[in-house]
Amino acid sequence: MWTILRDRITTRTTTTMPCSFLAQFHSFPPLRSALFEPSPPPSPHHHRHHRHRHLPPPLSSGFSGGGWSPAIRSFCSTSGCERRAMAGRLESCSSDPSSVSYLTQREAAEIDEELMGPLGFSVDQLMELAGLSVATSIAEVYKASAYKRVLAICGPGNNGGDGLVAARHLFHFGYKPYICYPKRTPKPLYTGLVTQLESLRVPFLSVEDLPPDLSTEYDILLDAVFGFSFHGAARPPFDDILRRLVGMRKSDQTNKKSPVIVSIDIPSGWHVEEGDISGEGIKPDMLVSLTAPKLCAKQFHGPHHFLGGRFVPPPIAEKYNLRLPPYPGASMCVHIGKAPQVDISAMRENYISPEFHEEEVDADPIKQFHKWFEEAVAAGLREANAMALSTAGKDGKPSSRMVLLKGVDEDCFVWYTNYESQKGRQLSENPWASLLFYWESLNRQVRVEGSVEKVSNEESEKYFHSRPHGSQIGAIVSKQSSIVPGRQVLHQQYRELEEKFSNVNLIPKPEHWGGYRLKPELIEFWQGQQSRLHDRLQYRPQEIDGRRVWKIVRLAP
């Protein structure tokens, strides 16, 4: 991630806080020797800079962004011509439309220096962005409902710091993280990260506390051990941990269930540029590259490669000829590389939910719906009122589409649309329909079936004029379900009506636009459970002593 931080207070040639994985061991010589085999002596050209020849090669850890002092930069930087040639060489395969640029170790180090120098980033800012990027990447693919237990294995460098930050965010995302942090870095930044996790009561485990078989206790293993400053052979306890991670992938071949492995920036033990040299290294399921992928990422063949750390400014991208994909919306991560081969038959979720018992539900299904709907809104679900509406005309052929619920009164569900649309025509021929609500993060569905009738024109007028000005014009422009020669036609008609109604306080509601009301004859509440033993409680109306009451039955999943 970052390499060496410079002290902003002292002279620019003074290095005060080594932050790459091996650079930290420069500050702690006994610890360094305890973890790694001796590395080869520096090449002769390093001796020109005798002040720094005792430093390890210019590698960085975790997040590709750190600060090199000017003297160190002079010993590791490349010339402009070399960089341009390198950028051309590192262009991703043009056959892959989502391709990105790859960084060498030296390019990553130079970007680090600029980020933490003239561009004003601090190590804690970058580490926070790194950890958040990793956590959001995990949440994008491995939902907490099925992959709740996360073991973050953290090394003493910045990669370990990224893992600690990611674990904190995962806790707030609904996961249950555990931390194995056997070689702690005694610096305020890292002790603060530990304190934050301890305040959340996140368990810290020693190596001895880890179960013999990691696959029995965890769903995700977060590899935050070695960043791209790794050099030489790992010493205890990390050598044994790496062997266990590699061993789990071999056990996969015997169809033994194994947790997924997520590596930060590079898989631990890989060479930053040459990758898994021995061919016996970790084979992660997900790689989260930071700033830009390193060269070794070209050898990553797992199903999920994400890019995180949404902070690269245009001057950096232009200077290093970086080709980076756009991040979607407000996301901190973006999926890069080719889409993984998907075995549709193997896609499944093992739902984990509170049990849903008959004695817990309201006797009135409308009140029960209100309860679940309010919980969906409170959970922050986007458009919790979205529902699939299924209709069929006189030919009996069904069709479905998503519409928005706009009201639930004492016994009906209400939505609005164009009466001349396909669904409008079908409802005029066959006034029966079904609704389906799906609230994925709550593992819930609600099915509603019943007869349909139009709401009053007064009620449609009232709702129409509550809509935004643009939506009212759009309802007039759109002859829903009819063929249009092109989008430009809709825009032209919209502009004409916008001008026509620019000084009109009340836009007239079209005669062909209004609401429908579905009166339920069946309402079913579905709660996903483990091993497909889902809860299904169904309400059906019955006449008892002249009164309409609801009978609740449980259906087999």
Side-chain angles (χ1 to χ4, degrees), residues 469 498-506:
H469 185 85
E498 194 174 34
E499 182 177 353
K500 176 180 178 181
F501 295 123
S502 59
N503 296 316
V504 175
N505 292 328
L506 195 67

Side-chain angles (χ1 to χ4, degrees), residues 498-557:
E498 194 174 34
E499 182 177 353
K500 176 180 178 181
F501 295 123
S502 59
N503 296 316
V504 175
N505 292 328
L506 195 67
I507 299 174
K509 179 188 78 66
E511 288 297 320
H512 61 262
W513 192 96
Y516 287 103
R517 175 179 284 108
L518 183 147
K519 184 174 183 179
E521 295 293 331
L522 175 152
I523 302 183
E524 180 185 315
F525 295 86
W526 180 97
Q527 178 77 69
Q529 298 293 354
Q530 295 187 59
S531 303
R532 295 298 183 264
L533 298 180
H534 311 309
D535 291 312
R536 294 178 62 189
L537 298 185
Q538 188 183 91
Y539 292 71
R540 284 186 178 273
Q542 288 185 331
E543 289 286 335
I544 299 180
D545 298 331
R547 293 187 306 112
R548 190 174 190 254
V549 297
W550 292 93
K551 180 181 179 181
I552 303 173
V553 296
R554 176 176 289 271
L555 301 181

Side-chain angles (χ1 to χ4, degrees), residues 32-230:
R32 178 185 179 185
S33 62
L35 290 173
F36 297 99
E37 298 289 356
S39 57
S43 60
H45 73 275
H46 289 174
H47 287 235
R48 293 178 299 164
H49 306 281
H50 60 279
R51 183 194 304 269
H52 302 288
R53 65 186 178 192
H54 57 284
L55 290 172
L59 301 164
S60 88
S61 144
F63 209 109
S64 134
W68 289 71
S69 71
I72 295 175
R73 180 180 182 182
S74 67
F75 119 87
C76 73
S77 63
T78 56
S79 68
C81 293
E82 183 182 355
R83 187 186 305 121
R84 284 191 292 274
M86 198 175 297
R89 189 176 70 251
L90 298 181
E91 281 298 314
S92 302
C93 177
S94 60
S95 63
D96 183 2
S98 60
S99 61
V100 298
S101 301
Y102 290 77
L103 296 177
T104 65
Q105 154 202 323
R106 290 186 173 184
E107 287 177 313
E110 290 182 2
I111 291 174
D112 294 348
E113 179 188 7
E114 295 187 42
L115 288 171
M116 301 196 62
L119 294 177
F121 285 93
S122 62
V123 63
D124 53 338
Q125 284 179 312
L126 293 176
M127 191 172 286
E128 188 67 25
L129 290 169
L132 179 58
S133 298
V134 172
T136 54
S137 298
I138 290 172
E140 187 79 17
V141 176
Y142 304 114
K143 305 301 183 184
S145 59
Y147 296 87
K148 195 173 188 68
R149 305 165 300 172
V150 181
L151 174 64
I153 307 171
C154 301
N158 282 329
N159 229 42
D162 297 343
L164 296 174
V165 174
R168 169 162 44 83
H169 287 292
L170 288 171
F171 173 88
H172 291 298
F173 292 171
Y175 295 80
K176 187 175 182 181
Y178 301 80
I179 311 294
C180 181
Y181 189 26
K183 299 290 182 180
R184 301 190 181 191
T185 301
K187 291 186 178 292
L189 172 59
Y190 298 87
T191 56
L193 296 177
V194 170
T195 300
Q196 293 163 17
L197 288 163
E198 289 175 338
S199 71
L200 298 175
R201 298 188 178 93
V202 172
F204 278 75
L205 309 175
S206 67
V207 175
E208 294 73 25
D209 292 332
L210 296 178
D213 185 357
L214 297 177
S215 65
T216 62
E217 300 292 333
Y218 308 107
D219 305 305
I220 299 174
L221 300 175
L222 180 57
D223 164 27
V225 183
F226 300 150
F228 77 68
S229 65
F230 176 76

Side-chain angles (χ1 to χ4, degrees), residues 384-421:
N385 61 330
M387 58 186 187
L389 166 65
S390 297
T391 57
K394 60 185 178 183
D395 59 6
K397 296 179 180 179
S399 62
S400 300
R401 76 289 291 162
M402 300 301 295
V403 299
L404 297 177
L405 177 72
K406 287 301 177 180
V408 185
D409 55 27
E410 59 185 16
D411 64 349
C412 290
F413 294 78
V414 177
W415 70 94
Y416 293 85
T417 188
N418 187 313
Y419 290 147
E420 296 176 354
S421 64

Side-chain angles (χ1 to χ4, degrees), residues 4 15-33 36 51-56 72:
I4 299 176
T15 303
T16 61
M17 183 180 175
C19 280
S20 73
F21 186 63
L22 284 185
Q24 288 189 29
F25 301 140
H26 169 59
S27 298
F28 304 94
L31 180 58
R32 178 185 179 185
S33 62
F36 297 99
R51 183 194 304 269
H52 302 288
R53 65 186 178 192
H54 57 284
L55 290 172
I72 295 175

